[in-house]
Amino acid sequence: MGADRGTALGVDDLPRLLNINEVADVLGVNVRHVRRLVFENRIPYLKWGRLVRFDPRDIERWLRVSCERHGRGSGPPASLVVRAGQAIPTY
């Protein structure tokens, strides 16, 4: 035990999870719309009790797949891509 197998993540490797307000800002929609997407299981999310959080990597993948499915090229505009540790884009 305690041996590093090269697969363990450090705290710095983990993404900063987004709350529902931040996801709404990134997507350019209101919080109610994001809540509806969560309710309908149409957006990837994590839930702990009553808390809902979003992994920015999952949101980026979800946007890319959604754009490809709807014929909008290879992914979302660069302004919507959220990277762990970056500030949330403002509009």
Side-chain angles (χ1 to χ4, degrees), residues 26-27 58-68 75-76 80:
V26 168
L27 297 178
D58 291 342
I59 298 299
E60 181 179 356
R61 274 190 292 271
W62 174 74
L63 284 170
R64 189 178 324 108
V65 168
S66 179
C67 288
E68 289 170 357
L80 289 181

Side-chain angles (χ1 to χ4, degrees), residues 8 14 16 18 30 32-33 36 38 44 54 56 61 82:
L14 296 174
R16 181 186 151 302
L18 306 174
N30 61 36
R32 184 175 177 208
H33 183 71
R36 184 178 328 135
V38 168
F54 304 85
R61 274 190 292 271
V82 179

Side-chain angles (χ1 to χ4, degrees), residues 20 32-43 45 47 52:
I20 201 161
R32 184 175 177 208
H33 183 71
V34 177
R35 288 186 192 281
R36 184 178 328 135
L37 293 173
V38 168
F39 178 77
E40 295 172 354
N41 288 314
R42 293 174 49 202
I43 190 170
Y45 65 94
K47 191 159 185 180
V52 176

